[in-house]
C-alpha cells in the first residue's frame, strides 16, 4: 500500500441506538479457515468446544489475554472477514448493547467493523479480531456484526 492509500479512514457508520460497550482488542491473522462472521463466547470452556480457535497454536500473549478474561464481567466476540490481500487492516469501530424485541431481560451485542481501503487485488485473505467486551455482569444471548469495506456493508447474525 502506498502513502496515498494509507490516508483512508473508516466512515462514520449510522449506528443504531443502543448502549455503547467498552472493549479491548486482540489481533489474529485468521481463525478457522472456513468460517466468516461473528461468534459469541460467554464462558471460558466454550473456547475449547468450538473449533474457531486452536488453543495449541496460541501465542503466549494471546493465551494470557484469554486466560485473564473474567467471564462474569466480560464476553468475547470472535470476528473474521475476508478481503483483498492488499486491503487495509480490519478495524473495530464500536460495540453496542441492543435489546431483543419480545424477549424480556435479554440483549445482544452488535459489533461494527470496517476495512477502510478494500484494495483491488483479486486474491483474498482472512482478517480476524477477538474483542473482550464488558457485559456488566449479565452475558448477552446473541451477537451481530455489521462490517463495512469502503462504502459497502455486510450484516452477519
Amino acid at each position: 500500500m502506498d502513502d496515498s492509500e494509507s490516508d483512508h479512514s473508516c466512515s462514520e457508520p449510522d449506528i443504531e441506538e443502543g448502549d455503547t460497550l467498552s472493549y479491548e482488542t486482540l489481533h489474529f491473522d485468521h481463525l478457522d479457515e472456513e468460517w466468516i462472521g461473528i461468534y459469541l463466547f460467554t464462558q471460558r470452556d466454550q473456547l475449547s468446544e468450538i473449533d474457531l480457535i486452536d488453543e495449541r497454536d496460541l501465542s503466549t500473549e494471546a493465551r494470557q489475554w484469554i486466560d485473564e478474561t473474567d467471564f462474569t464481567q466480560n464476553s468475547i466476540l470472535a470476528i473474521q472477514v475476508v478481503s483483498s490481500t492488499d486491503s487495509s487492516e480490519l478495524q473495530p469501530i464500536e460495540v453496542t448493547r441492543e435489546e431483543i424485541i419480545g424477549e424480556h431481560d435479554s440483549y445482544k451485542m452488535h459489533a461494527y467493523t470496517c476495512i477502510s481501503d478494500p484494495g483491488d487485488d483479486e486474491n483474498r485473505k482472512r482478517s480476524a479480531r477477538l474483542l473482550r467486551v464488558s457485559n456488566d455482569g449479565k452475558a448477552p444471548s446473541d451477537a451481530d456484526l455489521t462490517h463495512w469495506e469502503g462504502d459497502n456493508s455486510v450484516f452477519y447474525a
Side-chain angles (χ1 to χ4, degrees):
M1 194 167 9
D2 66 31
D3 288 338
S4 65
E5 292 174 321
S6 65
D7 290 339
H8 291 280
S9 63
C10 292
S11 59
E12 289 294 320
D14 183 19
I15 295 177
E16 296 178 22
E17 257 192 64
D19 297 330
T20 301
L21 300 172
S22 62
Y23 63 89
E24 299 171 58
T25 305
L26 181 65
H27 175 271
F28 268 78
D29 289 330
H30 66 275
L31 299 168
D32 179 88
E33 290 294 329
E34 302 293 319
W35 176 79
I36 301 296
I38 188 165
Y39 197 89
L40 169 67
F41 295 97
T42 58
Q43 299 173 9
R44 174 68 174 93
D45 58 351
Q46 289 175 312
L47 291 166
S48 57
E49 293 171 3
I50 306 297
D51 290 335
L52 292 180
I53 302 170
D54 188 343
E55 293 196 58
R56 297 171 301 202
D57 296 334
L58 291 177
S59 68
T60 302
E61 174 192 11
R63 186 181 311 279
Q64 182 177 358
W65 189 90
I66 291 169
D67 288 343
E68 289 174 351
T69 300
D70 176 0
F71 282 94
T72 64
Q73 296 296 313
N74 298 280
S75 299
I76 291 180
L77 297 177
I79 297 170
Q80 182 164 265
V81 298
V82 174
S83 62
S84 171
T85 56
D86 66 348
S87 70
S88 60
E89 290 290 316
L90 172 64
Q91 299 175 38
I93 300 171
E94 197 81 70
V95 179
T96 61
R97 173 190 172 108
E98 297 177 1
E99 300 303 318
I100 299 174
I101 297 172
E103 293 188 28
H104 179 66
D105 204 31
S106 184
Y107 76 98
K108 65 181 173 182
M109 289 181 174
H110 192 142
Y112 297 85
T113 61
C114 83
I115 291 178
S116 60
D117 181 3
D120 55 11
D121 187 349
E122 295 293 321
N123 296 317
R124 311 305 280 167
K125 70 174 180 181
R126 295 181 189 287
S127 297
R129 298 290 184 273
L130 294 183
L131 305 181
R132 180 171 44 213
V133 185
S134 172
N135 64 28
D136 297 324
K138 182 168 176 9
S141 58
D142 201 0
D144 293 336
L145 170 66
T146 300
H147 173 70
W148 280 269
E149 285 198 30
D151 295 329
N152 301 316
S153 69
V154 178
F155 178 77
Y156 300 92

